[in-house]
Amino acid sequence: MNNTLLKHSFLLVILLLFYATAISAQQTKEVPSPESFFPKDRSKVLFVGSFHFHYPGLDAHVITENDKIDVLSASRQKELTDLVNYIKKFNPTKIAIEAGPDWQATKKFREYKAGAHRLERDERYQLGMRIAAEMKLDTIYSIDDDSMVSELRQVNPDYVKALFKDYDYKSDDKYTKMYGRFYASEDKLRIKMSLLAFFKHINSRIYHQVGYGSYLVGDFRLDDKRGADALAINWYSRNLRIFRNLQNITESAQDRILVIFGNGHASILRQLLESSPEYQWIEFNKLK
């Protein structure tokens, strides 16, 4: 093959590659992005996953006395101010907390603004009401809810009792033990880290992903699908209802809603908020 033929062959290959690339690019342009069908302007939500400052001992993982911190101590109050000022960068127009109607958030917020509840070791006061007061908001929204278990128990108590038999978060499988070591390590970190640094840590995407996995081991495997059904009508049901309550307080795409809940809720609520066409999830670590 002479040089002229080689040059022509090379040019032909180049032209064919260019043509194929152009056709591919054109086809890509013709395929609309799934997001293009939905509004760009959405209500912004900053989810702040917290540990419970007052340690009610109601979670599956109970913190030992030695691993508890006092948010009312002078050093932690300074750290709390740093955390509050960081969260305020979001500039919320609404604040929603982990409380139901019986907690009477409106009444308590009115009392808080009058000077009461300042020494309550509870993130609903130390974060939610403090931020609301400093941002001069006039309402605190209670969006927590019960799961459908409470209603099913009235309809068929025997079925619910059988469904949740041994569903106690005390499995001894290897993954549950791994999570036990993970949680114990986190308890030690909370003591060593500042509140702001710890909140950035526990509100990261990877932390929420790992937290999500804790619901898919242990009791989840009870009697083939019994554990899965128990999770669905209890924890999933509760968080779906919380999300529905959030929808009920959302009025426009201009809403900037700060949600303060126990961080155990984060994994499911993150999934719901990131998938919803109504909301834009704001990463906690990226506030400026």
Side-chain angles (χ1 to χ4, degrees):
M1 185 179 292
N2 58 41
N3 289 338
T4 302
L5 187 56
L6 281 173
K7 289 180 180 179
H8 288 166
S9 298
F10 179 74
L11 287 173
L12 179 61
V13 170
I14 295 298
L15 287 171
L16 288 173
L17 287 173
F18 177 79
Y19 179 73
T21 302
I23 292 295
S24 177
Q26 181 62 33
Q27 290 176 340
T28 300
K29 287 181 180 179
E30 292 174 355
V31 178
S33 166
E35 288 188 332
S36 67
F37 292 91
F38 304 97
K40 291 183 179 180
D41 292 331
R42 304 179 183 189
S43 303
K44 293 176 174 58
V45 175
L46 175 66
F47 181 91
V48 177
S50 176
F51 63 97
H52 294 306
F53 291 178
H54 59 308
Y55 300 106
L58 300 177
D59 294 327
H61 172 69
V62 179
I63 300 170
T64 66
E65 287 296 324
N66 290 336
D67 291 333
K68 293 179 180 180
I69 66 171
D70 182 6
V71 296
L72 296 182
S73 69
S75 60
R76 293 297 184 176
Q77 279 292 297
K78 183 180 182 302
E79 292 176 5
L80 193 66
T81 296
D82 293 338
L83 175 59
V84 165
N85 288 338
Y86 180 79
I87 295 172
K88 283 165 61 178
K89 292 180 181 180
F90 175 62
N91 194 28
T93 60
K94 293 179 179 176
I95 297 178
I97 59 174
E98 185 176 351
D102 292 344
W103 199 71
Q104 297 183 303
T106 300
K107 175 177 177 291
K108 288 177 178 174
F109 184 43
R110 191 184 309 119
E111 294 168 350
Y112 180 91
K113 289 192 290 185
H117 306 301
R118 302 304 171 101
L119 298 180
E120 296 278 358
R121 289 179 176 84
D122 187 325
E123 67 278 4
R124 291 173 290 192
Y125 295 108
Q126 295 292 326
L127 292 179
M129 293 192 182
R130 176 175 173 177
I131 294 171
E134 292 183 10
M135 298 296 295
K136 301 189 185 310
L137 302 180
D138 57 9
T139 303
I140 286 277
Y141 295 91
S142 301
I143 63 168
D144 197 10
D145 215 317
D146 294 326
S147 71
M148 66 184 296
V149 172
S150 57
E151 291 150 30
L152 286 175
R153 190 174 282 117
Q154 296 178 18
V155 175
N156 194 332
D158 291 335
Y159 170 77
V160 173
K161 183 178 180 180
L163 181 65
F164 284 93
K165 182 177 182 292
D166 299 326
Y167 198 99
D168 54 11
Y169 306 103
K170 296 179 181 179
S171 300
D172 60 357
D173 66 290
K174 64 178 182 180
Y175 291 109
T176 298
K177 291 177 181 178
M178 290 177 191
Y179 272 103
R181 291 192 291 271
F182 167 64
Y183 293 138
S185 173
E186 292 300 298
D187 292 345
K188 302 299 182 186
L189 276 181
R190 188 185 300 110
I191 297 173
K192 299 174 183 177
M193 300 174 74
S194 71
L195 285 173
L196 178 55
F198 188 71
F199 268 69
K200 286 184 176 181
H201 168 61
I202 66 174
N203 281 284
S204 65
R205 177 178 293 275
I206 186 61
Y207 197 99
H208 291 164
Q209 288 175 342
V210 170
Y212 191 97
S214 67
Y215 301 116
L216 307 178
V217 300
D219 291 345
F220 184 75
R221 296 174 178 268
L222 285 175
D223 296 348
D224 192 16
K225 299 180 182 65
R226 180 164 68 86
D229 291 341
L231 178 68
I233 68 171
N234 183 33
W235 193 239
Y236 263 85
S237 170
R238 181 179 170 189
N239 282 284
L240 286 168
R241 289 182 174 198
I242 290 168
F243 180 78
R244 184 70 189 96
N245 292 337
L246 178 64
Q247 287 180 319
N248 285 336
I249 70 168
T250 304
E251 296 177 294
S252 75
Q254 282 66 54
D255 281 341
R256 301 178 63 86
I257 308 174
L258 169 61
V259 177
I260 302 173
F261 261 70
N263 205 34
H265 295 271
S267 54
I268 298 177
L269 291 177
R270 175 188 275 271
Q271 179 188 24
L272 298 176
L273 286 161
E274 288 188 328
S275 300
S276 169
E278 298 177 68
Y279 298 103
Q280 178 184 347
W281 171 278
I282 302 298
E283 286 292 345
F284 183 85
N285 293 340
K286 295 182 179 179
L287 294 179
K288 296 180 181 179

